mmCIF file of all heavy atoms in Angstrom:
data_model
loop_
_atom_site.group_PDB
_atom_site.id
_atom_site.type_symbol
_atom_site.label_atom_id
_atom_site.label_comp_id
_atom_site.label_asym_id
_atom_site.label_seq_id
_atom_site.Cartn_x
_atom_site.Cartn_y
_atom_site.Cartn_z
ATOM 1 N N LEU X 231 -137.601 -65.165 -22.953
ATOM 2 C CA LEU X 231 -136.409 -65.199 -23.788
ATOM 3 C C LEU X 231 -135.987 -66.629 -24.097
ATOM 4 O O LEU X 231 -135.717 -66.987 -25.240
ATOM 5 C CB LEU X 231 -135.280 -64.456 -23.078
ATOM 6 C CG LEU X 231 -133.997 -64.230 -23.851
ATOM 7 C CD1 LEU X 231 -134.265 -63.337 -25.058
ATOM 8 C CD2 LEU X 231 -132.970 -63.590 -22.946
ATOM 9 N N TRP X 232 -135.948 -67.480 -23.081
ATOM 10 C CA TRP X 232 -135.560 -68.874 -23.303
ATOM 11 C C TRP X 232 -136.559 -69.579 -24.219
ATOM 12 O O TRP X 232 -136.165 -70.364 -25.079
ATOM 13 C CB TRP X 232 -135.445 -69.643 -21.996
ATOM 14 C CG TRP X 232 -134.576 -69.023 -20.944
ATOM 15 C CD1 TRP X 232 -134.817 -69.041 -19.605
ATOM 16 C CD2 TRP X 232 -133.341 -68.322 -21.085
ATOM 17 N NE1 TRP X 232 -133.821 -68.389 -18.927
ATOM 18 C CE2 TRP X 232 -132.897 -67.937 -19.814
ATOM 19 C CE3 TRP X 232 -132.561 -67.966 -22.183
ATOM 20 C CZ2 TRP X 232 -131.727 -67.226 -19.595
ATOM 21 C CZ3 TRP X 232 -131.385 -67.252 -21.970
ATOM 22 C CH2 TRP X 232 -130.976 -66.895 -20.703
ATOM 23 N N SER X 233 -137.843 -69.312 -24.036
ATOM 24 C CA SER X 233 -138.855 -69.940 -24.891
ATOM 25 C C SER X 233 -138.695 -69.509 -26.342
ATOM 26 O O SER X 233 -138.801 -70.323 -27.261
ATOM 27 C CB SER X 233 -140.258 -69.595 -24.385
ATOM 28 O OG SER X 233 -140.468 -70.180 -23.124
ATOM 29 N N ALA X 234 -138.436 -68.213 -26.568
ATOM 30 C CA ALA X 234 -138.219 -67.723 -27.935
ATOM 31 C C ALA X 234 -136.994 -68.377 -28.554
ATOM 32 O O ALA X 234 -136.942 -68.609 -29.760
ATOM 33 C CB ALA X 234 -138.052 -66.199 -27.919
ATOM 34 N N TRP X 235 -136.032 -68.711 -27.730
ATOM 35 C CA TRP X 235 -134.803 -69.346 -28.165
ATOM 36 C C TRP X 235 -135.021 -70.829 -28.450
ATOM 37 O O TRP X 235 -134.168 -71.514 -28.993
ATOM 38 C CB TRP X 235 -133.769 -69.156 -27.073
ATOM 39 C CG TRP X 235 -132.345 -69.361 -27.453
ATOM 40 C CD1 TRP X 235 -131.822 -69.572 -28.688
ATOM 41 C CD2 TRP X 235 -131.240 -69.367 -26.553
ATOM 42 N NE1 TRP X 235 -130.461 -69.719 -28.613
ATOM 43 C CE2 TRP X 235 -130.076 -69.593 -27.317
ATOM 44 C CE3 TRP X 235 -131.122 -69.210 -25.180
ATOM 45 C CZ2 TRP X 235 -128.813 -69.656 -26.751
ATOM 46 C CZ3 TRP X 235 -129.861 -69.269 -24.622
ATOM 47 C CH2 TRP X 235 -128.729 -69.486 -25.406
ATOM 48 N N GLY X 236 -136.200 -71.357 -28.047
ATOM 49 C CA GLY X 236 -136.503 -72.766 -28.256
ATOM 50 C C GLY X 236 -135.953 -73.656 -27.166
ATOM 51 O O GLY X 236 -135.761 -74.848 -27.379
ATOM 52 N N CYS X 237 -135.685 -73.076 -26.001
ATOM 53 C CA CYS X 237 -135.103 -73.823 -24.877
ATOM 54 C C CYS X 237 -136.120 -74.002 -23.759
ATOM 55 O O CYS X 237 -137.087 -73.262 -23.658
ATOM 56 C CB CYS X 237 -133.900 -73.071 -24.315
ATOM 57 S SG CYS X 237 -132.561 -72.902 -25.488
ATOM 58 N N ASP X 238 -135.837 -74.968 -22.921
ATOM 59 C CA ASP X 238 -136.634 -75.189 -21.713
ATOM 60 C C ASP X 238 -136.259 -74.104 -20.707
ATOM 61 O O ASP X 238 -135.100 -74.033 -20.292
ATOM 62 C CB ASP X 238 -136.318 -76.572 -21.145
ATOM 63 C CG ASP X 238 -137.004 -76.863 -19.828
ATOM 64 O OD1 ASP X 238 -137.860 -76.061 -19.394
ATOM 65 O OD2 ASP X 238 -136.682 -77.902 -19.226
ATOM 66 N N PRO X 239 -137.204 -73.230 -20.304
ATOM 67 C CA PRO X 239 -136.871 -72.166 -19.361
ATOM 68 C C PRO X 239 -136.283 -72.662 -18.042
ATOM 69 O O PRO X 239 -135.544 -71.942 -17.384
ATOM 70 C CB PRO X 239 -138.198 -71.452 -19.122
ATOM 71 C CG PRO X 239 -138.993 -71.720 -20.348
ATOM 72 C CD PRO X 239 -138.583 -73.114 -20.772
ATOM 73 N N ALA X 240 -136.565 -73.895 -17.662
ATOM 74 C CA ALA X 240 -136.031 -74.436 -16.409
ATOM 75 C C ALA X 240 -134.541 -74.772 -16.521
ATOM 76 O O ALA X 240 -133.840 -74.793 -15.516
ATOM 77 C CB ALA X 240 -136.824 -75.672 -15.998
ATOM 78 N N ASP X 241 -134.043 -75.031 -17.736
ATOM 79 C CA ASP X 241 -132.634 -75.391 -17.936
ATOM 80 C C ASP X 241 -132.225 -75.023 -19.372
ATOM 81 O O ASP X 241 -131.967 -75.906 -20.193
ATOM 82 C CB ASP X 241 -132.443 -76.885 -17.676
ATOM 83 C CG ASP X 241 -130.986 -77.283 -17.594
ATOM 84 O OD1 ASP X 241 -130.114 -76.393 -17.625
ATOM 85 O OD2 ASP X 241 -130.718 -78.488 -17.506
ATOM 86 N N PRO X 242 -132.159 -73.728 -19.683
ATOM 87 C CA PRO X 242 -131.984 -73.306 -21.078
ATOM 88 C C PRO X 242 -130.642 -73.657 -21.712
ATOM 89 O O PRO X 242 -130.535 -73.740 -22.920
ATOM 90 C CB PRO X 242 -132.165 -71.792 -21.014
ATOM 91 C CG PRO X 242 -131.847 -71.423 -19.619
ATOM 92 C CD PRO X 242 -132.275 -72.593 -18.784
ATOM 93 N N PHE X 243 -129.596 -73.872 -20.925
ATOM 94 C CA PHE X 243 -128.268 -74.114 -21.486
ATOM 95 C C PHE X 243 -127.837 -75.570 -21.419
ATOM 96 O O PHE X 243 -126.683 -75.894 -21.701
ATOM 97 C CB PHE X 243 -127.236 -73.242 -20.759
ATOM 98 C CG PHE X 243 -127.563 -71.780 -20.833
ATOM 99 C CD1 PHE X 243 -127.977 -71.096 -19.704
ATOM 100 C CD2 PHE X 243 -127.484 -71.094 -22.029
ATOM 101 C CE1 PHE X 243 -128.293 -69.751 -19.758
ATOM 102 C CE2 PHE X 243 -127.798 -69.747 -22.099
ATOM 103 C CZ PHE X 243 -128.206 -69.076 -20.969
ATOM 104 N N ARG X 244 -128.730 -76.438 -21.077
ATOM 105 C CA ARG X 244 -128.417 -77.853 -20.876
ATOM 106 C C ARG X 244 -127.652 -78.463 -22.050
ATOM 107 O O ARG X 244 -126.727 -79.233 -21.848
ATOM 108 C CB ARG X 244 -129.710 -78.628 -20.618
ATOM 109 C CG ARG X 244 -129.529 -80.128 -20.589
ATOM 110 C CD ARG X 244 -130.810 -80.889 -20.371
ATOM 111 N NE ARG X 244 -131.905 -80.313 -21.121
ATOM 112 C CZ ARG X 244 -133.149 -80.208 -20.658
ATOM 113 N NH1 ARG X 244 -133.446 -80.650 -19.472
ATOM 114 N NH2 ARG X 244 -134.090 -79.669 -21.392
ATOM 115 N N ASN X 245 -128.023 -78.131 -23.274
ATOM 116 C CA ASN X 245 -127.404 -78.759 -24.447
ATOM 117 C C ASN X 245 -126.044 -78.171 -24.805
ATOM 118 O O ASN X 245 -125.330 -78.738 -25.620
ATOM 119 C CB ASN X 245 -128.324 -78.647 -25.653
ATOM 120 C CG ASN X 245 -129.595 -79.440 -25.449
ATOM 121 O OD1 ASN X 245 -129.600 -80.463 -24.776
ATOM 122 N ND2 ASN X 245 -130.684 -78.961 -26.013
ATOM 123 N N TRP X 246 -125.669 -77.010 -24.236
ATOM 124 C CA TRP X 246 -124.430 -76.348 -24.634
ATOM 125 C C TRP X 246 -123.407 -76.200 -23.524
ATOM 126 O O TRP X 246 -122.223 -76.092 -23.800
ATOM 127 C CB TRP X 246 -124.722 -74.954 -25.185
ATOM 128 C CG TRP X 246 -125.598 -74.990 -26.381
ATOM 129 C CD1 TRP X 246 -125.289 -75.495 -27.613
ATOM 130 C CD2 TRP X 246 -126.934 -74.531 -26.463
ATOM 131 N NE1 TRP X 246 -126.357 -75.364 -28.456
ATOM 132 C CE2 TRP X 246 -127.389 -74.767 -27.771
ATOM 133 C CE3 TRP X 246 -127.801 -73.932 -25.568
ATOM 134 C CZ2 TRP X 246 -128.662 -74.428 -28.193
ATOM 135 C CZ3 TRP X 246 -129.067 -73.598 -25.996
ATOM 136 C CH2 TRP X 246 -129.477 -73.851 -27.301
ATOM 137 N N VAL X 247 -123.861 -76.116 -22.271
ATOM 138 C CA VAL X 247 -122.933 -75.828 -21.177
ATOM 139 C C VAL X 247 -122.986 -76.965 -20.168
ATOM 140 O O VAL X 247 -124.050 -77.282 -19.642
ATOM 141 C CB VAL X 247 -123.304 -74.500 -20.485
ATOM 142 C CG1 VAL X 247 -122.328 -74.191 -19.364
ATOM 143 C CG2 VAL X 247 -123.339 -73.363 -21.496
ATOM 144 N N GLY X 248 -121.842 -77.547 -19.909
ATOM 145 C CA GLY X 248 -121.773 -78.637 -18.951
ATOM 146 C C GLY X 248 -121.678 -78.124 -17.519
ATOM 147 O O GLY X 248 -121.548 -76.918 -17.284
ATOM 148 N N PRO X 249 -121.745 -79.028 -16.564
ATOM 149 C CA PRO X 249 -121.624 -78.642 -15.160
ATOM 150 C C PRO X 249 -120.330 -77.858 -14.910
ATOM 151 O O PRO X 249 -119.264 -78.230 -15.394
ATOM 152 C CB PRO X 249 -121.601 -79.976 -14.417
ATOM 153 C CG PRO X 249 -122.303 -80.922 -15.339
ATOM 154 C CD PRO X 249 -121.947 -80.467 -16.724
ATOM 155 N N GLY X 250 -120.458 -76.741 -14.219
ATOM 156 C CA GLY X 250 -119.307 -75.892 -13.930
ATOM 157 C C GLY X 250 -118.959 -74.905 -15.030
ATOM 158 O O GLY X 250 -118.062 -74.090 -14.877
ATOM 159 N N GLY X 251 -119.675 -74.952 -16.154
ATOM 160 C CA GLY X 251 -119.428 -74.029 -17.255
ATOM 161 C C GLY X 251 -119.954 -72.637 -16.947
ATOM 162 O O GLY X 251 -120.658 -72.427 -15.966
ATOM 163 N N CYS X 252 -119.592 -71.676 -17.776
ATOM 164 C CA CYS X 252 -120.007 -70.283 -17.576
ATOM 165 C C CYS X 252 -120.824 -69.787 -18.758
ATOM 166 O O CYS X 252 -120.576 -70.171 -19.896
ATOM 167 C CB CYS X 252 -118.787 -69.379 -17.430
ATOM 168 S SG CYS X 252 -117.850 -69.692 -15.943
ATOM 169 N N VAL X 253 -121.765 -68.906 -18.478
ATOM 170 C CA VAL X 253 -122.597 -68.270 -19.493
ATOM 171 C C VAL X 253 -122.609 -66.777 -19.206
ATOM 172 O O VAL X 253 -122.721 -66.363 -18.054
ATOM 173 C CB VAL X 253 -124.041 -68.813 -19.452
ATOM 174 C CG1 VAL X 253 -124.938 -68.036 -20.403
ATOM 175 C CG2 VAL X 253 -124.062 -70.293 -19.770
ATOM 176 N N VAL X 254 -122.464 -65.957 -20.241
ATOM 177 C CA VAL X 254 -122.556 -64.512 -20.093
ATOM 178 C C VAL X 254 -123.838 -64.051 -20.775
ATOM 179 O O VAL X 254 -124.093 -64.402 -21.928
ATOM 180 C CB VAL X 254 -121.344 -63.804 -20.744
ATOM 181 C CG1 VAL X 254 -121.514 -62.303 -20.707
ATOM 182 C CG2 VAL X 254 -120.063 -64.226 -20.066
ATOM 183 N N ILE X 255 -124.628 -63.300 -20.053
ATOM 184 C CA ILE X 255 -125.843 -62.711 -20.616
ATOM 185 C C ILE X 255 -125.596 -61.210 -20.690
ATOM 186 O O ILE X 255 -125.341 -60.564 -19.679
ATOM 187 C CB ILE X 255 -127.073 -63.024 -19.747
ATOM 188 C CG1 ILE X 255 -127.283 -64.527 -19.711
ATOM 189 C CG2 ILE X 255 -128.304 -62.299 -20.283
ATOM 190 C CD1 ILE X 255 -128.348 -64.976 -18.757
ATOM 191 N N LYS X 256 -125.622 -60.661 -21.892
ATOM 192 C CA LYS X 256 -125.326 -59.253 -22.089
ATOM 193 C C LYS X 256 -126.626 -58.465 -22.208
ATOM 194 O O LYS X 256 -127.289 -58.493 -23.222
ATOM 195 C CB LYS X 256 -124.500 -59.046 -23.348
ATOM 196 C CG LYS X 256 -124.140 -57.597 -23.593
ATOM 197 C CD LYS X 256 -123.678 -57.404 -25.018
ATOM 198 C CE LYS X 256 -123.564 -55.957 -25.374
ATOM 199 N NZ LYS X 256 -124.827 -55.266 -25.478
#
Side-chain angles (χ1 to χ4, degrees):
L231 187 64
W232 308 143
S233 294
W235 198 7
C237 297
D238 175 8
D241 191 6
F243 303 110
R244 172 182 41 219
N245 295 329
W246 299 293
V247 181
C252 293
V253 174
V254 174
I255 298 173
K256 181 196 169 290

